[in-house]
Amino acid sequence: MRTIIASIFVTIFAVSLAAVSYFNHFYAERALQRDTEQLLFEFHDALVEAKSMLAGLPEPDDFRCNDKTYGELVHLSFENPAIRLLGVLHDNEEYCASDAVTVDLSAYKSHALSGGFSMASAAHGDEHTDLLLVRTHGNSRYFANLNPFLINHLAEHACLDCLSYEITIQGEPTINFFGEPLSQAAYIEFDSFRKEGPLGISLSIKGTREFFEYYKELSWVSTVAFAVIVASVLSFAAYRLLTIRQSLGRVIKDALRFSEFVPFYQPIVDSRNGQVLGAEVLARWRRGNGEIVPPYQFIPFAEDSGLIIEITEQLVEKVTADLKRFGWNKTGQFASVNIVPEHLDSDVFYKLLTQGMERHGLIPKNISLEITERRQIANLAQARKALDAFFEYGIDLKLDDAGTGYGGFSYVQELGISTLKIDKMFVDTIQSDDVKRSVLDAIIAFAKSSELKTIAEGVEDKAQVEYLEQHGVYAIQGYVYAKPMPAEDLVDWLAKNESEAS
Ligand code: C2E
Ligand code: CA
Ligand code: CA
C-alpha cells in the first residue's frame, strides 16, 4: 500500500512539476516577447520622430541661436518625450540646445547613415550609452539626444549586467549598451522583430538565462511547492479511495466469518388467485449491532471483487434450510437466487447448492437461478455448459432485468432461459405515455413468441397489475403484494396470505 501511494505521489509530482514549469516558462517567454516588441516599437518611433524633427528645422542660413530659436528647440523636445535634447552646432562655434547642457560632439563616436544622417554614441560610465541622431547640413550639425528611458524600460524588470542591447546600422553591429556584449552564451535574442528601422537602423536585445528568470511568475521554490501540494492532495485522495475499498473488502470478509449475510424473501404472486409461486432471495447484511445494510452498499463491490461468490454460498446454506421450514419441499414453490457469471466458472457452486438441497430434503424445483442481463458474460458456451448441469438436476434459469443490458436475445438463445423478469423500469411506464410503454409491450410479445414465462418486477399498484394481466403477465413481484422480508416474517406472511386466499 505504501509503495503504491509513494509511486502515485512521485508520478503526480513529476507530472505537475513538468506542467507548472512548462507554463511558467511559456508565460515568461510571452511576457518577454511582448516587452521586447514594445521596446522596439518605441525605439523605432523615437528614431522616426527625431529624424523628421531634425529635417524640419530651418536651414543653417536662417537659423541663428537666439531666444526665439532656443524657445522653439525647448518646445520641440518638450513635445516628444522620446527626445531628451535637441540642439544645433554651426561651424563648430555657434551652439544652442533645448537644455542648458553642452553636448561635446567630438566626444561621440559617429556611425554614418544615409541622407546626411549619422548616429553618434558615447558611453556614460556603466549607466547607459548616450545616443544621438545627427544631421549634417553644410557646416552645421543638428542633433537629437534619444532618451535612454526607452532602453531602461526592459532593464527595470531585471539586472543591467545580464542584458545587452545592440544597435545595428545597415546590418553591422555598431553600438552596444551596458558595456561589452554578453560573453556567455546569450540565452534570449529577440532581434527578429522589425529588423530594419528608418535609416537602416535596428535594435537587438540579448539577455542571459538569469535575465529570463526575472520574467518568471514563479520561482523554482514556488514551482516545487506547487507540485508538492498538487501531488499531496491527489495522493491523499488516492489513498482514501484505496483504503475505503480495501477496508470494505476486509469488513465483508469479517462479516462472512460471522455469518452476517442473510436472505430476505420477496414473494412472487399469481395475480389471478393470490397464490404464492415462490420468492426472490435478496441479500441483506445484518451487522453485529442489528443494523441492516441494503444491497447497493455492498453488492457492487462484492461483485467486482469476487466476494459475491462466498456471500451467495452463505445465503444458499440458509435458504435451503429456510425452504424446508416453509414446507416448500411439499408444496413446490421456488426460491430464486441471484447469481453472477463467475458462479458458472467451476462446479463448486453447483455442488454446494445441490448438496444443501439434498441435506434438507428439497425437491429440484424449489431452487431457481436468476442472472442479470446488466453484466456481460465473457464465454456464453462455457456458461451454458455449467448451466446444463443445473438444468439436468431440475433447476431453471431466469433472465433478470430483461431488456436493460447486454444482448438479451443471445442470452435467451444460448443460455436456456425459462423466464424473463421484466424490470421495474418498464413496469413504471404503464401509467406513462404510449411511446415508452411500447418497449414493455415488445418485451411481453417477445416472451410470448419465444415461449418464455414472465415475472413482472417492481409492481406497486393495482393499475399496473391490471395492465399486466390484460397482457398475459400474471406472476407479480412488488410492493403491491409485499416488500422483501426475513424468513421469520415470511412464515407469518405466508400464513396470513393463505387464510386470505381461502
Ligand atoms: P434485483 O435483483 O433487480 O432485485 C429487485 C430489487 O427491486 C430489490 O431491491 C427489491 O427490493 C426491489 N423491489 C421489488 N419490488 C419493488 C417495488 O415494488 N418497488 C420498488 N421501489 N422496489 C422494488 P434490493 O433488495 O435492494 O436489491 C437490489 C439489487 O441488489 C438486486 O436487484 C440485485 O441486483 C442485487 N442483489 C440483491 N441480492 C443479491 C444477491 O444475493 N446476489 C447478487 N448478485 N445480487 C443481489
Ligand atoms: Ca434479481
Ligand atoms: Ca431485477
Side-chain angles (χ1 to χ4, degrees), residues 9 11-22 223 226-228 230-231 234:
F9 181 88
T11 312
I12 297 172
F13 175 73
V15 170
S16 42
L17 192 64
V20 175
S21 316
Y22 173 78
T223 306
F226 201 75
V228 166
V230 172
L234 293 181

Side-chain angles (χ1 to χ4, degrees), residues 485-498:
M485 60 190 106
E488 49 281 18
D489 291 3
L490 185 69
V491 173
D492 296 344
W493 186 91
L494 287 171
K496 199 164 146 258
N497 187 67
E498 181 97 351

Side-chain angles (χ1 to χ4, degrees), residues 325-366:
R325 238 190 314 150
F326 303 156
W328 283 7
N329 51 337
K330 303 211 174 67
T331 50
Q333 289 101 319
F334 65 86
S336 195
V337 175
N338 289 285
I339 61 162
V340 292
E342 288 80 0
H343 280 111
L344 305 173
D345 286 349
S346 75
D347 63 357
V348 174
F349 178 64
Y350 171 83
K351 282 187 177 150
L352 190 116
L353 178 63
T354 51
Q355 282 163 10
M357 291 169 76
E358 274 150 30
R359 202 166 48 247
H360 293 102
L362 301 186
I363 54 173
K365 67 174 175 179
N366 284 153

Side-chain angles (χ1 to χ4, degrees), residues 100-166:
V101 180
T102 305
V103 175
D104 180 5
L105 287 173
S106 65
Y108 283 74
K109 207 169 148 196
S110 186
H111 316 277
L113 305 168
S114 57
F117 282 90
S118 59
M119 179 131 267
S121 62
H124 277 249
D126 284 345
E127 273 184 18
H128 64 82
T129 300
D130 238 3
L131 204 59
L132 302 180
L133 185 68
V134 183
R135 182 187 175 208
T136 306
H137 200 21
N139 286 333
S140 301
R141 274 179 286 172
Y142 296 70
F143 56 90
N145 188 319
L146 301 177
N147 204 333
F149 85 87
L150 295 167
I151 310 297
N152 286 340
H153 170 78
L154 257 196
E156 266 171 28
H157 292 276
C159 46
L160 295 185
D161 56 359
C162 56
L163 203 56
S164 151
Y165 299 88
E166 200 166 69

Side-chain angles (χ1 to χ4, degrees), residues 107 148 172 181 264 372 423 436 453 459 465 477:
E172 289 293 314
F264 269 41
T372 179
D423 194 74
K436 283 189 193 154
K453 287 180 271 179
V459 181
V465 176
Q477 177 184 349

Side-chain angles (χ1 to χ4, degrees), residues 46-110:
L47 277 176
V48 170
E49 198 62 36
K51 184 179 175 245
S52 74
M53 219 176 259
L54 294 178
L57 288 174
E59 294 292 305
D61 287 349
D62 304 333
F63 198 107
R64 297 274 65 87
C65 282
N66 54 33
D67 282 355
K68 186 169 166 276
T69 47
Y70 170 72
E72 277 172 12
L73 292 175
V74 170
H75 179 75
L76 280 171
S77 79
F78 185 75
E79 264 190 348
N80 192 330
I83 288 158
R84 190 161 61 157
L85 181 126
L86 199 59
V88 180
L89 179 65
H90 291 304
D91 296 327
N92 276 327
E93 277 175 20
E94 192 183 352
Y95 175 90
C96 49
S98 61
D99 210 342
V101 180
T102 305
V103 175
D104 180 5
L105 287 173
S106 65
Y108 283 74
K109 207 169 148 196
S110 186

